[in-house]
Amino acid sequence: MLFVLSIMMAKALGQISQADTNRVYMLVNLAKEKQQQGSADSAEFYFKEAGKLAQRLVFDKGMLQYAGHYCVFLYQEVRYNEALAMAKKQLAISLKLKDLPRAAAAYNNMALQYQALGEMQRASEMLMSALNILSDIDRPTRQDSSFLRKYYNNLSSLLLDMNDLAKGLRYAIKSYQIAEELQDSAGIGSSLVNMLVAEAMSGKLADAEKHCLELLALGRSLTDPPMQLRALINLADIYCRQKRYEVALLTYDKAQALLAKAPPGNEVYILAGLSTVYKNMKRYGEADTYFSKALALAENELAKPQQMELLLSGAEIKEATGSYREALDLRKQYEQLSDSLLNSETHHTIQELEVKYQASEKQKALVERDLKISKQQRELERKNKWIILSILAMVILGVFFIFSRFINKLKRKAEASRQESRLLEAKLRGEEEERARTARELHDGVASILSAAKLHLGMELVNEPKTEGNDVNRLLESALKEIRNISHNLAPEAVLEEGFAYAIEEFCRRVRSSSLELNCYVIGTLPKFKKDDELLLYRMIQEAVANMVKHSEATEGIVQLVATENRLAITIEDNGVGFDVEGSKSKGLGLKNLLSRTQLLKGVCEIQSTPNKGTSIYIEVSATEVAESKKMRGRKEVIA
């Protein structure tokens, strides 16, 4: 009887212990959720509760989970010394549990903190330790490959801070290639940041701008405000390097609008960037104001390597404003920091560690090749056995049977979608025909009558000039010009004859007036669309600009076309009064037309508007997808 009671008590204690350990994981996950929601105080509370519980239970795996994720949180909160202490704890527990992948993650986290604190040699040693651990893993998992991508990306960042641009770009590209193999969208975005920074620092501004726009589009598709913010900050810096200062200022304004949705530490980059733009525009008073604000945040929110750039820029601003003593002090601070970060000994150590790592990677590649050959031979032998073929045939039949009904359902749904598209196309075609007819009547009828009247009036004024006749002549000229504009808008032959880009530029020129400064930018070579699709895109831009003119009360507007390979991104923005986007989608015919035409082209349309801060419309269309659609209708970085 006592034996039975002992077993029951042991089971009960085991259940209580299991519940407690599960609570540790639950608290960590809850803290991560609060962190993603932007509730830093709540996240820290739950992290600390998880750590206390894991320590009380002497639960090493739970303590490892807590230390890793809490380290990430502290790093993103720009609390580098606390994050370094937590990474050291993460390393000690990983080594105790002999969990080598987590030990590598701990080394990586320590490297990040040392880099932010300006200890570049220590940072490189920690990062190489992480890479060496991964190199010794015989059969790396998907997670190991993901860790390797992050370590390459962090090594790229370290080399860029050391001003080794060629190697920094090389490791960023390696990181990007792994992210593509893993189909890791967030990883692709993180790798793109270092690629475009390396290109911008090397003076390859066209490549940097292209990758920056790609990063911005990716951030929008993932609905990732921090990624969009990084893209906008870097894009503004690229515009500044291109001496497009007004566009740079507008881009920084967009970045500021996203600050509330991103972790701390980004505001200082925007302030420093604005200071640089105004300095280059020789508006030194405004540059000094933004520099002072950035400098106040720099010590707590800016990593040591980035502080160097801020100090140097500040010295130049102070010298331009005549504050020579302050300029000298800033220059001395810059020199001291530069000597500590970029000394030759640190460069030599990093290069030596990199050579050792590359040698071990080559040896590992040879071993992996031999193992791969052996594995392929065994695979060929297994494929010769009839049982594999039988099982494969059964699986194929089973899959075919299960999904046949599903495929039929998809076909019916696709047919309904095509029918809807055909109806919409017919409606739009009818509208275009009606516009063309009206344009011809205006041009051939009313315009001809007005021209004849103007001619007769001119002949009478030759013999008997009168002031009233001159006024009438001017009114007739104005009426003729207005009718020509209406005729061109209704039937834009330029789209069919002179090309799509020319038609848009010509349209913007006609709309531009003394009350609305409307600029048009075409970046890159536009992909080739069918004429019907070009006309549809023209109508979409025309609809958006018409709404700007009628309702926005804007004084400035922009129409920008950006081509990347076979994709076209269109941005229409203004500085007007804005509107309620959700309410307008349900009531406004103009927005419905815009969205339905985008759907017809298999594209993406995003509309953002803030009261008194203007409106931004973003449209993205793929020439390949449009062509395929027509063909079918014709036929029927931190690690926890």
mmCIF file with all atom_site columns, all heavy atoms in Angstrom, residues 86-106:
data_model
loop_
_atom_site.group_PDB
_atom_site.id
_atom_site.type_symbol
_atom_site.label_atom_id
_atom_site.label_alt_id
_atom_site.label_comp_id
_atom_site.label_asym_id
_atom_site.label_entity_id
_atom_site.label_seq_id
_atom_site.pdbx_PDB_ins_code
_atom_site.Cartn_x
_atom_site.Cartn_y
_atom_site.Cartn_z
_atom_site.occupancy
_atom_site.B_iso_or_equiv
_atom_site.pdbx_formal_charge
_atom_site.auth_seq_id
_atom_site.auth_comp_id
_atom_site.auth_asym_id
_atom_site.auth_atom_id
_atom_site.pdbx_PDB_model_num
ATOM 1   N N   . MET A 1 86  ? 23.534 39.145 -20.632 1.00 0.00 ? 86  MET A N   1
ATOM 2   C CA  . MET A 1 86  ? 22.568 38.077 -20.873 1.00 0.00 ? 86  MET A CA  1
ATOM 3   C C   . MET A 1 86  ? 23.109 37.086 -21.905 1.00 0.00 ? 86  MET A C   1
ATOM 4   O O   . MET A 1 86  ? 22.885 35.876 -21.799 1.00 0.00 ? 86  MET A O   1
ATOM 5   C CB  . MET A 1 86  ? 21.245 38.685 -21.338 1.00 0.00 ? 86  MET A CB  1
ATOM 6   C CG  . MET A 1 86  ? 20.058 37.745 -21.260 1.00 0.00 ? 86  MET A CG  1
ATOM 7   S SD  . MET A 1 86  ? 19.780 37.007 -19.624 1.00 0.00 ? 86  MET A SD  1
ATOM 8   C CE  . MET A 1 86  ? 19.626 38.484 -18.603 1.00 0.00 ? 86  MET A CE  1
ATOM 9   N N   . ALA A 1 87  ? 23.832 37.571 -22.940 1.00 0.00 ? 87  ALA A N   1
ATOM 10  C CA  . ALA A 1 87  ? 24.425 36.676 -23.938 1.00 0.00 ? 87  ALA A CA  1
ATOM 11  C C   . ALA A 1 87  ? 25.482 35.776 -23.304 1.00 0.00 ? 87  ALA A C   1
ATOM 12  O O   . ALA A 1 87  ? 25.609 34.592 -23.666 1.00 0.00 ? 87  ALA A O   1
ATOM 13  C CB  . ALA A 1 87  ? 25.031 37.496 -25.073 1.00 0.00 ? 87  ALA A CB  1
ATOM 14  N N   . LYS A 1 88  ? 26.254 36.309 -22.353 1.00 0.00 ? 88  LYS A N   1
ATOM 15  C CA  . LYS A 1 88  ? 27.246 35.487 -21.647 1.00 0.00 ? 88  LYS A CA  1
ATOM 16  C C   . LYS A 1 88  ? 26.563 34.390 -20.828 1.00 0.00 ? 88  LYS A C   1
ATOM 17  O O   . LYS A 1 88  ? 27.036 33.251 -20.781 1.00 0.00 ? 88  LYS A O   1
ATOM 18  C CB  . LYS A 1 88  ? 28.103 36.371 -20.739 1.00 0.00 ? 88  LYS A CB  1
ATOM 19  C CG  . LYS A 1 88  ? 29.059 37.291 -21.507 1.00 0.00 ? 88  LYS A CG  1
ATOM 20  C CD  . LYS A 1 88  ? 29.869 38.160 -20.559 1.00 0.00 ? 88  LYS A CD  1
ATOM 21  C CE  . LYS A 1 88  ? 30.843 39.040 -21.338 1.00 0.00 ? 88  LYS A CE  1
ATOM 22  N NZ  . LYS A 1 88  ? 31.641 39.938 -20.452 1.00 0.00 ? 88  LYS A NZ  1
ATOM 23  N N   . LYS A 1 89  ? 25.425 34.739 -20.220 1.00 0.00 ? 89  LYS A N   1
ATOM 24  C CA  . LYS A 1 89  ? 24.662 33.721 -19.488 1.00 0.00 ? 89  LYS A CA  1
ATOM 25  C C   . LYS A 1 89  ? 24.140 32.665 -20.457 1.00 0.00 ? 89  LYS A C   1
ATOM 26  O O   . LYS A 1 89  ? 24.169 31.460 -20.156 1.00 0.00 ? 89  LYS A O   1
ATOM 27  C CB  . LYS A 1 89  ? 23.506 34.388 -18.746 1.00 0.00 ? 89  LYS A CB  1
ATOM 28  C CG  . LYS A 1 89  ? 22.655 33.416 -17.924 1.00 0.00 ? 89  LYS A CG  1
ATOM 29  C CD  . LYS A 1 89  ? 21.541 34.140 -17.185 1.00 0.00 ? 89  LYS A CD  1
ATOM 30  C CE  . LYS A 1 89  ? 22.098 34.971 -16.044 1.00 0.00 ? 89  LYS A CE  1
ATOM 31  N NZ  . LYS A 1 89  ? 21.026 35.528 -15.185 1.00 0.00 ? 89  LYS A NZ  1
ATOM 32  N N   . GLN A 1 90  ? 23.653 33.096 -21.628 1.00 0.00 ? 90  GLN A N   1
ATOM 33  C CA  . GLN A 1 90  ? 23.171 32.172 -22.648 1.00 0.00 ? 90  GLN A CA  1
ATOM 34  C C   . GLN A 1 90  ? 24.290 31.215 -23.072 1.00 0.00 ? 90  GLN A C   1
ATOM 35  O O   . GLN A 1 90  ? 24.052 30.005 -23.243 1.00 0.00 ? 90  GLN A O   1
ATOM 36  C CB  . GLN A 1 90  ? 22.669 32.969 -23.855 1.00 0.00 ? 90  GLN A CB  1
ATOM 37  C CG  . GLN A 1 90  ? 22.105 32.130 -24.986 1.00 0.00 ? 90  GLN A CG  1
ATOM 38  C CD  . GLN A 1 90  ? 21.773 32.962 -26.221 1.00 0.00 ? 90  GLN A CD  1
ATOM 39  O OE1 . GLN A 1 90  ? 22.118 34.139 -26.288 1.00 0.00 ? 90  GLN A OE1 1
ATOM 40  N NE2 . GLN A 1 90  ? 21.136 32.351 -27.195 1.00 0.00 ? 90  GLN A NE2 1
ATOM 41  N N   . LEU A 1 91  ? 25.509 31.724 -23.229 1.00 0.00 ? 91  LEU A N   1
ATOM 42  C CA  . LEU A 1 91  ? 26.634 30.890 -23.634 1.00 0.00 ? 91  LEU A CA  1
ATOM 43  C C   . LEU A 1 91  ? 26.969 29.855 -22.562 1.00 0.00 ? 91  LEU A C   1
ATOM 44  O O   . LEU A 1 91  ? 27.187 28.675 -22.862 1.00 0.00 ? 91  LEU A O   1
ATOM 45  C CB  . LEU A 1 91  ? 27.848 31.776 -23.931 1.00 0.00 ? 91  LEU A CB  1
ATOM 46  C CG  . LEU A 1 91  ? 29.138 31.031 -24.289 1.00 0.00 ? 91  LEU A CG  1
ATOM 47  C CD1 . LEU A 1 91  ? 28.947 30.237 -25.575 1.00 0.00 ? 91  LEU A CD1 1
ATOM 48  C CD2 . LEU A 1 91  ? 30.302 32.007 -24.439 1.00 0.00 ? 91  LEU A CD2 1
ATOM 49  N N   . ALA A 1 92  ? 27.005 30.286 -21.303 1.00 0.00 ? 92  ALA A N   1
ATOM 50  C CA  . ALA A 1 92  ? 27.361 29.363 -20.214 1.00 0.00 ? 92  ALA A CA  1
ATOM 51  C C   . ALA A 1 92  ? 26.372 28.202 -20.134 1.00 0.00 ? 92  ALA A C   1
ATOM 52  O O   . ALA A 1 92  ? 26.763 27.034 -19.995 1.00 0.00 ? 92  ALA A O   1
ATOM 53  C CB  . ALA A 1 92  ? 27.409 30.132 -18.893 1.00 0.00 ? 92  ALA A CB  1
ATOM 54  N N   . ILE A 1 93  ? 25.087 28.489 -20.237 1.00 0.00 ? 93  ILE A N   1
ATOM 55  C CA  . ILE A 1 93  ? 24.068 27.420 -20.152 1.00 0.00 ? 93  ILE A CA  1
ATOM 56  C C   . ILE A 1 93  ? 24.147 26.517 -21.379 1.00 0.00 ? 93  ILE A C   1
ATOM 57  O O   . ILE A 1 93  ? 24.009 25.284 -21.270 1.00 0.00 ? 93  ILE A O   1
ATOM 58  C CB  . ILE A 1 93  ? 22.656 28.031 -20.024 1.00 0.00 ? 93  ILE A CB  1
ATOM 59  C CG1 . ILE A 1 93  ? 22.565 28.915 -18.778 1.00 0.00 ? 93  ILE A CG1 1
ATOM 60  C CG2 . ILE A 1 93  ? 21.604 26.931 -19.943 1.00 0.00 ? 93  ILE A CG2 1
ATOM 61  C CD1 . ILE A 1 93  ? 21.288 29.734 -18.705 1.00 0.00 ? 93  ILE A CD1 1
ATOM 62  N N   . SER A 1 94  ? 24.377 27.074 -22.566 1.00 0.00 ? 94  SER A N   1
ATOM 63  C CA  . SER A 1 94  ? 24.485 26.276 -23.792 1.00 0.00 ? 94  SER A CA  1
ATOM 64  C C   . SER A 1 94  ? 25.641 25.287 -23.697 1.00 0.00 ? 94  SER A C   1
ATOM 65  O O   . SER A 1 94  ? 25.502 24.116 -24.074 1.00 0.00 ? 94  SER A O   1
ATOM 66  C CB  . SER A 1 94  ? 24.688 27.188 -25.003 1.00 0.00 ? 94  SER A CB  1
ATOM 67  O OG  . SER A 1 94  ? 23.638 28.089 -25.145 1.00 0.00 ? 94  SER A OG  1
ATOM 68  N N   . LEU A 1 95  ? 26.787 25.758 -23.208 1.00 0.00 ? 95  LEU A N   1
ATOM 69  C CA  . LEU A 1 95  ? 27.938 24.869 -23.071 1.00 0.00 ? 95  LEU A CA  1
ATOM 70  C C   . LEU A 1 95  ? 27.684 23.795 -22.014 1.00 0.00 ? 95  LEU A C   1
ATOM 71  O O   . LEU A 1 95  ? 28.096 22.639 -22.171 1.00 0.00 ? 95  LEU A O   1
ATOM 72  C CB  . LEU A 1 95  ? 29.183 25.685 -22.719 1.00 0.00 ? 95  LEU A CB  1
ATOM 73  C CG  . LEU A 1 95  ? 29.656 26.675 -23.804 1.00 0.00 ? 95  LEU A CG  1
ATOM 74  C CD1 . LEU A 1 95  ? 30.836 27.500 -23.304 1.00 0.00 ? 95  LEU A CD1 1
ATOM 75  C CD2 . LEU A 1 95  ? 30.036 25.932 -25.082 1.00 0.00 ? 95  LEU A CD2 1
ATOM 76  N N   . LYS A 1 96  ? 26.983 24.157 -20.946 1.00 0.00 ? 96  LYS A N   1
ATOM 77  C CA  . LYS A 1 96  ? 26.640 23.175 -19.910 1.00 0.00 ? 96  LYS A CA  1
ATOM 78  C C   . LYS A 1 96  ? 25.746 22.082 -20.465 1.00 0.00 ? 96  LYS A C   1
ATOM 79  O O   . LYS A 1 96  ? 25.928 20.890 -20.152 1.00 0.00 ? 96  LYS A O   1
ATOM 80  C CB  . LYS A 1 96  ? 25.951 23.889 -18.742 1.00 0.00 ? 96  LYS A CB  1
ATOM 81  C CG  . LYS A 1 96  ? 25.509 22.960 -17.624 1.00 0.00 ? 96  LYS A CG  1
ATOM 82  C CD  . LYS A 1 96  ? 24.786 23.754 -16.538 1.00 0.00 ? 96  LYS A CD  1
ATOM 83  C CE  . LYS A 1 96  ? 24.232 22.823 -15.450 1.00 0.00 ? 96  LYS A CE  1
ATOM 84  N NZ  . LYS A 1 96  ? 23.491 23.589 -14.417 1.00 0.00 ? 96  LYS A NZ  1
ATOM 85  N N   . LEU A 1 97  ? 24.778 22.456 -21.311 1.00 0.00 ? 97  LEU A N   1
ATOM 86  C CA  . LEU A 1 97  ? 23.848 21.485 -21.910 1.00 0.00 ? 97  LEU A CA  1
ATOM 87  C C   . LEU A 1 97  ? 24.423 20.842 -23.173 1.00 0.00 ? 97  LEU A C   1
ATOM 88  O O   . LEU A 1 97  ? 23.761 19.994 -23.788 1.00 0.00 ? 97  LEU A O   1
ATOM 89  C CB  . LEU A 1 97  ? 22.533 22.179 -22.255 1.00 0.00 ? 97  LEU A CB  1
ATOM 90  C CG  . LEU A 1 97  ? 21.716 22.732 -21.078 1.00 0.00 ? 97  LEU A CG  1
ATOM 91  C CD1 . LEU A 1 97  ? 20.504 23.497 -21.594 1.00 0.00 ? 97  LEU A CD1 1
ATOM 92  C CD2 . LEU A 1 97  ? 21.273 21.598 -20.166 1.00 0.00 ? 97  LEU A CD2 1
ATOM 93  N N   . LYS A 1 98  ? 25.619 21.284 -23.596 1.00 0.00 ? 98  LYS A N   1
ATOM 94  C CA  . LYS A 1 98  ? 26.258 20.797 -24.828 1.00 0.00 ? 98  LYS A CA  1
ATOM 95  C C   . LYS A 1 98  ? 25.366 21.031 -26.051 1.00 0.00 ? 98  LYS A C   1
ATOM 96  O O   . LYS A 1 98  ? 25.290 20.204 -26.950 1.00 0.00 ? 98  LYS A O   1
ATOM 97  C CB  . LYS A 1 98  ? 26.627 19.312 -24.700 1.00 0.00 ? 98  LYS A CB  1
ATOM 98  C CG  . LYS A 1 98  ? 27.629 19.037 -23.603 1.00 0.00 ? 98  LYS A CG  1
ATOM 99  C CD  . LYS A 1 98  ? 28.000 17.568 -23.525 1.00 0.00 ? 98  LYS A CD  1
ATOM 100 C CE  . LYS A 1 98  ? 29.024 17.318 -22.408 1.00 0.00 ? 98  LYS A CE  1
ATOM 101 N NZ  . LYS A 1 98  ? 29.384 15.890 -22.294 1.00 0.00 ? 98  LYS A NZ  1
ATOM 102 N N   . ASP A 1 99  ? 24.692 22.160 -26.052 1.00 0.00 ? 99  ASP A N   1
ATOM 103 C CA  . ASP A 1 99  ? 23.823 22.561 -27.159 1.00 0.00 ? 99  ASP A CA  1
ATOM 104 C C   . ASP A 1 99  ? 24.623 23.514 -28.050 1.00 0.00 ? 99  ASP A C   1
ATOM 105 O O   . ASP A 1 99  ? 24.617 24.739 -27.870 1.00 0.00 ? 99  ASP A O   1
ATOM 106 C CB  . ASP A 1 99  ? 22.566 23.259 -26.612 1.00 0.00 ? 99  ASP A CB  1
ATOM 107 C CG  . ASP A 1 99  ? 21.530 23.539 -27.691 1.00 0.00 ? 99  ASP A CG  1
ATOM 108 O OD1 . ASP A 1 99  ? 21.912 23.560 -28.872 1.00 0.00 ? 99  ASP A OD1 1
ATOM 109 O OD2 . ASP A 1 99  ? 20.356 23.748 -27.345 1.00 0.00 ? 99  ASP A OD2 1
ATOM 110 N N   . LEU A 1 100 ? 25.344 22.937 -29.032 1.00 0.00 ? 100 LEU A N   1
ATOM 111 C CA  . LEU A 1 100 ? 26.275 23.730 -29.836 1.00 0.00 ? 100 LEU A CA  1
ATOM 112 C C   . LEU A 1 100 ? 25.588 24.797 -30.700 1.00 0.00 ? 100 LEU A C   1
ATOM 113 O O   . LEU A 1 100 ? 26.085 25.923 -30.798 1.00 0.00 ? 100 LEU A O   1
ATOM 114 C CB  . LEU A 1 100 ? 27.120 22.796 -30.715 1.00 0.00 ? 100 LEU A CB  1
ATOM 115 C CG  . LEU A 1 100 ? 28.091 21.888 -29.940 1.00 0.00 ? 100 LEU A CG  1
ATOM 116 C CD1 . LEU A 1 100 ? 28.900 21.037 -30.899 1.00 0.00 ? 100 LEU A CD1 1
ATOM 117 C CD2 . LEU A 1 100 ? 29.025 22.722 -29.067 1.00 0.00 ? 100 LEU A CD2 1
ATOM 118 N N   . PRO A 1 101 ? 24.453 24.497 -31.358 1.00 0.00 ? 101 PRO A N   1
ATOM 119 C CA  . PRO A 1 101 ? 23.805 25.581 -32.126 1.00 0.00 ? 101 PRO A CA  1
ATOM 120 C C   . PRO A 1 101 ? 23.436 26.786 -31.265 1.00 0.00 ? 101 PRO A C   1
ATOM 121 O O   . PRO A 1 101 ? 23.587 27.932 -31.688 1.00 0.00 ? 101 PRO A O   1
ATOM 122 C CB  . PRO A 1 101 ? 22.553 24.899 -32.710 1.00 0.00 ? 101 PRO A CB  1
ATOM 123 C CG  . PRO A 1 101 ? 22.927 23.453 -32.811 1.00 0.00 ? 101 PRO A CG  1
ATOM 124 C CD  . PRO A 1 101 ? 23.774 23.199 -31.606 1.00 0.00 ? 101 PRO A CD  1
ATOM 125 N N   . ARG A 1 102 ? 22.956 26.522 -30.023 1.00 0.00 ? 102 ARG A N   1
ATOM 126 C CA  . ARG A 1 102 ? 22.616 27.644 -29.139 1.00 0.00 ? 102 ARG A CA  1
ATOM 127 C C   . ARG A 1 102 ? 23.879 28.354 -28.645 1.00 0.00 ? 102 ARG A C   1
ATOM 128 O O   . ARG A 1 102 ? 23.870 29.564 -28.402 1.00 0.00 ? 102 ARG A O   1
ATOM 129 C CB  . ARG A 1 102 ? 21.800 27.138 -27.948 1.00 0.00 ? 102 ARG A CB  1
ATOM 130 C CG  . ARG A 1 102 ? 20.395 26.723 -28.317 1.00 0.00 ? 102 ARG A CG  1
ATOM 131 C CD  . ARG A 1 102 ? 19.610 27.916 -28.792 1.00 0.00 ? 102 ARG A CD  1
ATOM 132 N NE  . ARG A 1 102 ? 18.326 27.516 -29.373 1.00 0.00 ? 102 ARG A NE  1
ATOM 133 C CZ  . ARG A 1 102 ? 17.508 28.317 -30.000 1.00 0.00 ? 102 ARG A CZ  1
ATOM 134 N NH1 . ARG A 1 102 ? 17.824 29.579 -30.155 1.00 0.00 ? 102 ARG A NH1 1
ATOM 135 N NH2 . ARG A 1 102 ? 16.370 27.878 -30.511 1.00 0.00 ? 102 ARG A NH2 1
ATOM 136 N N   . ALA A 1 103 ? 24.975 27.600 -28.498 1.00 0.00 ? 103 ALA A N   1
ATOM 137 C CA  . ALA A 1 103 ? 26.237 28.238 -28.123 1.00 0.00 ? 103 ALA A CA  1
ATOM 138 C C   . ALA A 1 103 ? 26.694 29.186 -29.237 1.00 0.00 ? 103 ALA A C   1
ATOM 139 O O   . ALA A 1 103 ? 27.166 30.295 -28.983 1.00 0.00 ? 103 ALA A O   1
ATOM 140 C CB  . ALA A 1 103 ? 27.301 27.184 -27.846 1.00 0.00 ? 103 ALA A CB  1
ATOM 141 N N   . ALA A 1 104 ? 26.528 28.733 -30.492 1.00 0.00 ? 104 ALA A N   1
ATOM 142 C CA  . ALA A 1 104 ? 26.881 29.597 -31.625 1.00 0.00 ? 104 ALA A CA  1
ATOM 143 C C   . ALA A 1 104 ? 26.015 30.864 -31.627 1.00 0.00 ? 104 ALA A C   1
ATOM 144 O O   . ALA A 1 104 ? 26.502 31.967 -31.875 1.00 0.00 ? 104 ALA A O   1
ATOM 145 C CB  . ALA A 1 104 ? 26.695 28.835 -32.941 1.00 0.00 ? 104 ALA A CB  1
ATOM 146 N N   . ALA A 1 105 ? 24.717 30.696 -31.321 1.00 0.00 ? 105 ALA A N   1
ATOM 147 C CA  . ALA A 1 105 ? 23.827 31.861 -31.257 1.00 0.00 ? 105 ALA A CA  1
ATOM 148 C C   . ALA A 1 105 ? 24.275 32.830 -30.171 1.00 0.00 ? 105 ALA A C   1
ATOM 149 O O   . ALA A 1 105 ? 24.216 34.050 -30.338 1.00 0.00 ? 105 ALA A O   1
ATOM 150 C CB  . ALA A 1 105 ? 22.391 31.407 -30.995 1.00 0.00 ? 105 ALA A CB  1
ATOM 151 N N   . ALA A 1 106 ? 24.737 32.276 -29.028 1.00 0.00 ? 106 ALA A N   1
ATOM 152 C CA  . ALA A 1 106 ? 25.216 33.126 -27.934 1.00 0.00 ? 106 ALA A CA  1
ATOM 153 C C   . ALA A 1 106 ? 26.463 33.905 -28.353 1.00 0.00 ? 106 ALA A C   1
ATOM 154 O O   . ALA A 1 106 ? 26.586 35.107 -28.070 1.00 0.00 ? 106 ALA A O   1
ATOM 155 C CB  . ALA A 1 106 ? 25.506 32.276 -26.697 1.00 0.00 ? 106 ALA A CB  1
#
